[in-house]
Amino acid sequence: MYQLRDYQQEAVDATLRHFRHSEAPAVIVLPTGAGKSLVIAELCRLARGHAMCLTHVKELVEQNHQKLTNFGVDGGIFSAGLKQKQQDKRLTIASVQSLVNHLTDWHQPLSLLIIDECHRIGADTESQYHKVIEHFRQLNPSLKVLGLTATPYRLDNGWIYQQHYWGFTREAPQAFFQRCIYELPLRRLVKDGYLTPPLLYNAAVAHYDFSAVTESVIEDEVMLNELVLKHPRVTRAICEQILTLSEQRQGVMIFAATVAHAEEIFLYLPSKETALITGATPQTQRDELIRQFKDRQIKYLVNVSVLTTGFDAPHVDVIALLRPTESVSLFQQIIGRGLRLAPGKKDCLILDYTNSGFDIFQPEIGGTRPKNTELVSVPCPQCGYQNLFWGRKDSDGNLTEHFGRRCQALVETLHGEEQCDYRYVFKHCPQCQAENDIAAHQCHQCQHKLIDPDDTLKKALNLKDHLVLRCQGLTSALEGEKLTLRYVDEDGTELKQSYRLDLKKDLLRLNQEFMRRMAHGAVPVEISNSKDLAPFLPYLPAPDFVIAKKERGHFRVTELIFDYQGNLRKANCL
């Protein structure tokens, strides 16, 4: 009989608590090597009816079944690749590809459906996973769906769940999973001695220049070959360093960009100690090479996109990354290949020759990462929650810019837990003045249609009596209760706008348009008079565009556009 570790029991308890009160799909996040098979075994033991563990490759089906068998759990296999299609067990371990083609043969309702590597579930409701889930929901409307993953995000959609039990939300309204109910940080596993410490080595001998590579290029083998094969000296120098650094190491996994690149790497490594596996390697040959590597008959294993998941060789203590990726998930999966414990293994050397810049312990994302940014903590002025956003700091460590839109905290309301409604960037509804997301097309409060800033700008550009100024900055002058702002574009063109602080209408506009946006929305200010305003004059935020209409020979400012993210170029963005 197996014995659960403390965090495995915590994951099981969290699952039981959640499904006692909810049928919403849930996620558990456990790093690679945390022993999720034990969690699966215990949950299936506790399930009141039939249970299924679903995954995407036969290697994981076989691996999960073997581990569950070792724990004394009797489960069946449903996988064409393994030539088994058992349906008579209380627990079935199945591959999604095999199952989706035989759904009409399944009439037994499930009480629990566990999806391993659940980050593979996308937004497409016609995908294989969604078809399987819908089939079993038809058989049992109260079906409990639990996802397990080490990497709860996707390159195309971002986070795979909407809410986190730590009390915050994710910008993932289309995510299938509603809530992350348990997450185990990688750092805790390493600290408690359950995983090998990763040692990120500054491999400065040579790097590939992947700075201009986008995800579309990553998928284009011809273009990648042009990038890596035109620098044979770089590849040779890298391989020489790998050999030197791994001289006293047990097992080395090398991740190449393309098949041609992998073949080149293979030439620079000892032929009798090296194996090469690609997608074209026959299955029987692949299995034999993997066996030899696990038995330590060979030391260096070069592969191209085939050993990132479902591969378990605990003795691996060097990971060499020679392929580019914009996927944090893929990066973590690759690193995870080397973090399992093994006799004589003190740490795992991580050699990143691509300058990916990902943090092994905290690979947070929040949409696409802007250039030259880092994770910054931004407090919510409304609820006090410390948000993590991409942002920039100056040389003294002061926050100069962040890219958060809305506070991510979950707060208690009369309707239960809801996301905090504080927005750092927003656009006002002209009908009710409610603050909406900058990409919203309809006001969330009064449902008034919101005009796209691009449409507003294009219309103004086509009108002879209108001027659109691409604002580079502003200057201010305060005389008594009158504030005068001068907006300047890149060519030196100016527009002036005045606010009378003794008029309620002007004061309200100034507070809404400028003071609310102080420090990128992180420190909103409300003023009542010129005395309140004076200290903040040097810090007033400049709009991205200023629209003015010509009246009686002079231009009058009619609209300010802040936080613009459309198709037109902003000032200083050549």
Side-chain angles (χ1 to χ4, degrees):
M1 188 63 178
Y2 53 83
Q3 180 69 42
L4 296 182
R5 293 172 178 171
D6 54 355
Y7 62 84
Q8 292 167 335
Q9 186 62 57
E10 291 169 4
V12 170
D13 292 344
T15 304
L16 297 178
R17 281 195 303 272
H18 174 75
F19 285 132
R20 282 190 187 118
H21 304 288
S22 174
E23 292 176 0
V27 174
I28 288 176
V29 180
L30 294 174
T32 301
K36 61 185 174 185
S37 298
L38 275 170
V39 176
I40 294 172
E42 181 66 2
L43 288 173
C44 292
R45 184 184 72 82
L46 295 172
R48 294 181 177 178
H50 284 74
M52 178 178 289
C53 178
L54 192 65
T55 188
H56 66 292
V57 290
K58 74 177 183 68
E59 288 83 3
L60 276 175
V61 172
E62 190 171 35
Q63 188 181 110
N64 284 338
H65 181 264
Q66 183 60 54
K67 289 184 177 181
L68 291 172
T69 300
N70 293 341
F71 299 147
V73 179
D74 184 22
I77 289 178
F78 196 92
S79 169
L82 297 175
K83 298 181 174 58
Q84 297 186 62
K85 295 181 181 179
Q86 302 170 323
Q87 300 186 38
D88 57 340
K89 304 289 186 179
R90 186 168 171 270
L91 167 64
T92 305
I93 301 98
S95 72
V96 65
Q97 294 94 337
S98 299
L99 188 62
V100 78
N101 294 323
H102 295 84
L103 285 176
T104 54
D105 298 335
W106 280 84
H107 306 291
Q108 176 65 55
L110 300 178
S111 63
L112 176 64
L113 176 62
I114 298 176
I115 302 174
D116 196 5
E117 306 289 348
C118 67
H119 57 273
R120 302 186 68 85
I121 300 179
D124 181 10
T125 56
E126 294 301 313
S127 70
Q128 294 179 331
Y129 282 103
H130 282 283
K131 289 179 179 178
V132 170
I133 293 168
E134 183 57 29
H135 174 78
F136 285 108
R137 275 182 172 167
Q138 291 290 328
L139 295 176
N140 176 17
S142 299
L143 174 71
K144 310 297 191 292
V145 182
L146 178 71
L148 278 81
T149 182
T151 51
Y153 24 73
R154 293 171 54 89
L155 190 60
D156 54 355
N157 300 117
W159 296 101
I160 66 170
Y161 59 83
Q162 301 172 30
Q163 300 177 351
H164 198 289
Y165 74 105
W166 286 342
F168 56 82
T169 63
R170 297 296 193 188
E171 293 294 333
Q174 304 302 317
F176 170 74
F177 293 100
Q178 182 173 315
R179 192 173 181 89
C180 174
I181 58 174
Y182 185 79
E183 180 170 5
L184 180 68
L186 175 62
R187 199 181 298 275
R188 175 181 162 186
L189 272 183
V190 173
K191 180 182 177 182
D192 292 349
Y194 292 124
L195 285 183
T196 301
L199 181 61
L200 189 61
Y201 185 85
N202 183 18
V205 60
H207 286 88
Y208 298 110
D209 183 11
F210 291 131
S211 59
V213 171
T214 62
E215 193 62 25
S216 60
V217 174
I218 290 173
E219 300 297 326
D220 190 325
E221 186 160 341
V222 174
M223 295 184 71
L224 273 183
N225 278 332
E226 290 179 2
L227 280 170
V228 296
L229 298 182
K230 68 180 180 182
H231 298 297
R233 291 182 181 179
V234 172
T235 303
R236 184 171 194 135
I238 287 173
C239 290
E240 288 174 354
Q241 186 182 58
I242 291 173
L243 288 170
T244 300
L245 295 174
S246 61
E247 190 172 338
Q248 303 299 320
R249 296 276 169 168
Q250 302 180 49
V252 181
M253 289 188 71
I254 300 171
F255 293 83
T258 66
V259 173
H261 184 217
E263 291 171 345
E264 181 189 14
I265 294 169
F266 183 84
L267 294 176
Y268 296 131
L269 299 174
S271 59
K272 293 184 179 180
E273 298 180 73
T274 306
L276 169 60
I277 296 178
T278 72
T281 305
Q283 189 63 52
T284 53
Q285 183 184 353
R286 180 191 299 192
D287 293 343
E288 176 58 22
L289 291 174
I290 290 175
R291 184 196 65 76
Q292 292 178 20
F293 180 70
K294 290 183 176 181
D295 290 345
R296 309 190 193 191
Q297 296 173 15
I298 53 178
K299 182 175 181 178
Y300 303 93
L301 187 57
V302 185
N303 83 100
V304 185
S305 303
V306 291
L307 299 179
T308 54
T309 59
F311 178 81
D312 188 2
H315 76 288
V316 171
D317 54 1
V318 177
I319 297 289
L321 194 62
L322 281 73
R323 58 155 294 170
T325 181
E326 291 186 339
S327 168
V328 183
S329 177
L330 180 58
F331 176 81
Q332 270 200 306
Q333 289 168 356
I334 289 173
I335 301 306
R337 300 308 104 200
L339 301 187
R340 296 183 185 275
L341 300 175
K345 181 177 173 181
K346 296 180 179 179
D347 55 41
C348 180
L349 194 61
I350 311 297
L351 305 175
D352 185 359
Y353 295 99
T354 66
N355 282 323
S356 66
F358 293 128
D359 186 323
I360 295 173
F361 289 104
Q362 195 178 40
E364 295 282 351
I365 63 168
T368 303
R369 180 179 184 176
K371 289 184 178 180
N372 303 317
T373 58
E374 59 183 290
L375 277 175
V376 296
S377 179
V378 182
C380 173
Q382 185 166 294
C383 72
Y385 180 75
Q386 292 288 334
N387 292 277
L388 283 178
F389 298 133
W390 294 122
R392 298 188 178 103
K393 295 181 179 180
D394 60 21
S395 56
D396 296 324
N398 298 313
L399 180 66
T400 60
E401 184 179 17
H402 74 79
F403 294 86
R405 289 190 181 186
R406 182 178 175 181
C407 177
Q408 297 175 336
L410 283 174
V411 295
E412 287 291 338
T413 72
L414 294 174
H415 309 291
E417 275 191 338
E418 293 183 357
Q419 183 177 1
C420 175
D421 61 8
Y422 185 81
R423 298 182 188 276
Y424 295 90
V425 293
F426 53 87
K427 59 182 178 184
H428 280 114
C429 171
Q431 192 80 11
C432 70
Q433 296 304 310
E435 295 177 357
N436 292 273
D437 185 79
I438 55 176
H441 297 293
Q442 188 179 56
C443 176
H444 70 90
Q445 186 162 298
C446 71
Q447 282 69 56
H448 179 75
K449 183 179 180 181
L450 302 176
I451 300 174
D452 189 296
D454 274 338
D455 294 337
T456 302
L457 289 167
K458 288 175 184 177
K459 182 179 179 180
L461 287 167
N462 290 325
L463 294 174
K464 292 182 179 180
D465 61 344
H466 279 64
L467 174 65
V468 175
L469 186 142
R470 185 179 280 115
C471 188
Q472 187 178 40
L474 64 77
T475 59
S476 60
L478 186 61
E479 296 179 9
E481 294 299 310
K482 181 181 179 181
L483 170 67
T484 301
L485 299 178
R486 283 183 171 84
Y487 308 108
V488 186
D489 74 2
E490 297 164 314
D491 300 322
T493 304
E494 290 189 0
L495 283 172
K496 289 198 305 183
Q497 184 180 28
S498 297
Y499 293 85
R500 294 285 312 190
L501 304 187
D502 51 356
L503 297 177
K504 288 185 177 180
K505 184 178 180 181
D506 280 15
L507 187 64
L508 178 63
R509 273 198 308 129
L510 182 65
N511 277 317
Q512 286 181 339
E513 293 174 340
F514 289 93
M515 310 313 294
R516 171 66 174 79
R517 291 184 166 90
M518 294 295 291
H520 306 285
V523 189
V525 175
E526 185 170 343
I527 59 144
S528 301
N529 50 49
S530 58
K531 185 179 178 181
D532 293 344
L533 174 63
F536 300 103
L537 287 179
Y539 309 106
L540 292 178
D544 295 314
F545 291 93
V546 181
I547 300 175
K549 181 180 180 181
K550 198 169 189 178
E551 295 178 352
R552 298 177 184 177
H554 299 282
F555 280 103
R556 179 179 65 86
V557 173
T558 58
E559 187 161 359
L560 303 176
I561 296 180
F562 291 87
D563 310 312
Y564 177 76
Q565 292 191 0
N567 298 319
L568 298 180
R569 180 180 68 83
K570 296 193 290 187
N572 305 318
C573 294
L574 296 174

